[in-house]
Amino acid sequence: MTKIVQIRCPKCNTPIFAKQVDSVFLCDSCGTLHVRDGGVEAIGYQAGKFARPPDGERVYLPHWVLNVSFQIDDIHTEGGGLSNLFGLLDGQARQGTVMMILPAYDVEPMEFKDTAMRMTSGPPRFVEDRFEPGARRLPVALAADQLEHIAEFLFVTGVAEKPGV
């Protein structure tokens, strides 16, 4: 038999009500964001302030930000190198760390890839703020446990799709 359990904020114990399926839970009372994966884990986040007066509905688009460490043991290139990968690597760097930004909301695969590459190569600048009351937040569809594999795939395709590599 399935047991239904009320989700409560791990910080202030306020019940959390969700109208849609979401991989993360945000407490409207204290602002704590957490995931449940066998236990409860609070996760840090940043919300950006909306930059201009509303022309329509304000919607937060969640993204995962992660530092991806890489080490390239063997690579064969013709007519190019790694210097332009995301525009972030120095010279012929074969190891290092790249900050990747991945859409966490549900999006078509090609749009996901384009958005991730664009956001990674040119991270947005924003003024940090709390979530604006009444603004909608798209649910997180990409769970944290999927990030490592997706980031690796994007990193490799970021190299492999460049002409001459």
Side-chain angles (χ1 to χ4, degrees), residues 16-30:
I16 296 176
F17 300 97
K19 294 178 184 172
Q20 48 198 344
V21 176
D22 204 336
S23 295
V24 300
F25 302 95
L26 177 66
C27 178
D28 291 330
S29 295
C30 71

Side-chain angles (χ1 to χ4, degrees), residues 9-164:
C9 175
K11 186 174 179 183
C12 70
N13 205 33
T14 299
I16 296 176
F17 300 97
K19 294 178 184 172
Q20 48 198 344
V21 176
D22 204 336
S23 295
V24 300
F25 302 95
L26 177 66
C27 178
D28 291 330
S29 295
C30 71
T32 299
L33 187 70
H34 70 279
V35 295
R36 292 182 178 256
D37 188 17
V40 177
E41 180 185 350
I43 55 176
Y45 68 94
Q46 294 177 317
K49 184 175 186 163
F50 287 105
R52 53 184 184 258
D55 291 335
E57 181 183 22
R58 292 178 178 224
V59 179
Y60 289 100
L61 304 175
H63 289 76
W64 289 107
V65 178
L66 55 152
N67 288 319
V68 178
S69 297
F70 68 92
Q71 179 174 335
I72 301 170
D73 295 324
D74 185 36
I75 190 166
H76 174 75
T77 64
E78 294 179 15
L82 300 177
S83 61
N84 291 324
L85 174 65
F86 300 122
L88 301 174
L89 301 183
D90 296 327
Q92 294 295 312
R94 293 175 69 110
Q95 65 182 27
T97 302
V98 173
M99 183 180 77
M100 293 187 78
I101 302 174
L102 308 177
Y105 53 94
D106 192 23
V107 63
E108 294 296 322
M110 286 309 293
E111 185 180 342
F112 176 92
K113 183 179 173 190
D114 291 343
T115 301
M117 297 294 206
R118 187 178 66 255
M119 298 285 280
T120 295
S121 63
R125 294 184 183 157
F126 64 92
V127 174
E128 190 174 347
D129 200 4
R130 289 183 54 96
F131 281 109
E132 184 176 293
R136 189 167 61 100
R137 178 181 61 85
L138 292 185
V140 172
L142 177 60
D145 62 355
Q146 299 170 301
L147 296 175
E148 183 179 333
H149 299 293
I150 292 172
E152 182 178 298
F153 173 78
L154 286 173
F155 185 88
V156 170
T157 59
V159 172
E161 290 182 346
K162 298 210 176 297

